[in-house]
Amino acid sequence: MTTSDNAAAGLREKARVALLRRVARTDDAGRAEALSAFVNLARPDLGAEAARVLAEKTPRLLPELTEKWIGMFVDRLFETVPLPQLEILCDGSEENEAALALAYVMFLESERMEKQMAEDLAACDLPPGKDGSDLAAEVCRRLTQAEEKRRQEGRRKAAEYQRAHGRTNKLN
């Protein structure tokens, strides 16, 4: 193994460990907050209650899949990025670790990875009740409740406004 190969192997490990550490350091509260913020940005029409339900009910990813996908990302990164840039990216600084994490998220959003993730999740072969169907039904039920609560709140506010300002929606 050449010095360049040793350097690349060391950088690969640094990248892998940095990403695994970043994924692992997200506690449940931080994870729920991040998921809720994402849902609010992606689907503001759902409302805060629905975003909270989705964040609360989204299960943690299996560690084996996290490790596999990070490994796939690191492999692709080292296929496409020159070694001097990788050295900078893997220097251990918070800023470059954040850039590495952002590149990983972008990798996960690729069409190739969407297919891969669907295949990997389908291959998990979870027992009945653990395959997500029960969870999906619970999430749908709670989202329906949250939407109904939101509609009722909107009707209540509209009625209050009409009482306070008189009916302004009459045709002349």
Side-chain angles (χ1 to χ4, degrees), residues 26-86:
T26 305
D27 63 1
D28 287 337
R31 183 177 166 280
E33 181 182 340
L35 284 169
S36 184
F38 173 76
V39 171
N40 281 326
L41 284 172
R43 292 287 311 271
D45 59 308
L46 291 179
E49 178 70 13
R52 187 188 61 71
V53 168
L54 287 172
E56 176 186 297
K57 290 296 184 179
T58 300
R60 282 202 170 274
L61 194 57
L62 297 171
E64 306 84 54
L65 293 181
T66 300
E67 289 182 25
K68 176 182 180 178
W69 297 340
I70 286 174
M72 291 174 70
F73 166 72
V74 170
D75 288 346
R76 185 70 181 135
L77 186 71
F78 278 75
E79 290 170 4
T80 57
V81 177
L83 190 59
Q85 289 176 329
L86 291 168

Side-chain angles (χ1 to χ4, degrees), residues 7 19 23 30-31 39 60 112 116 125 132 139 142 144 165:
L19 289 169
V23 169
R31 183 177 166 280
V39 171
R60 282 202 170 274
R112 171 184 164 212
Q116 182 67 52
D125 198 29
V139 167
R142 294 207 31 212
T144 300
H165 296 91

Side-chain angles (χ1 to χ4, degrees), residues 15-27 70 93-102 104-105:
R16 191 184 75 72
V17 168
L19 289 169
L20 287 171
R21 186 177 55 241
R22 190 169 273 268
V23 169
R25 78 177 178 201
T26 305
D27 63 1
I70 286 174
S93 70
E94 182 65 29
E95 187 175 273
N96 286 330
E97 186 178 299
L100 185 65
L102 177 60
Y104 174 60
V105 169

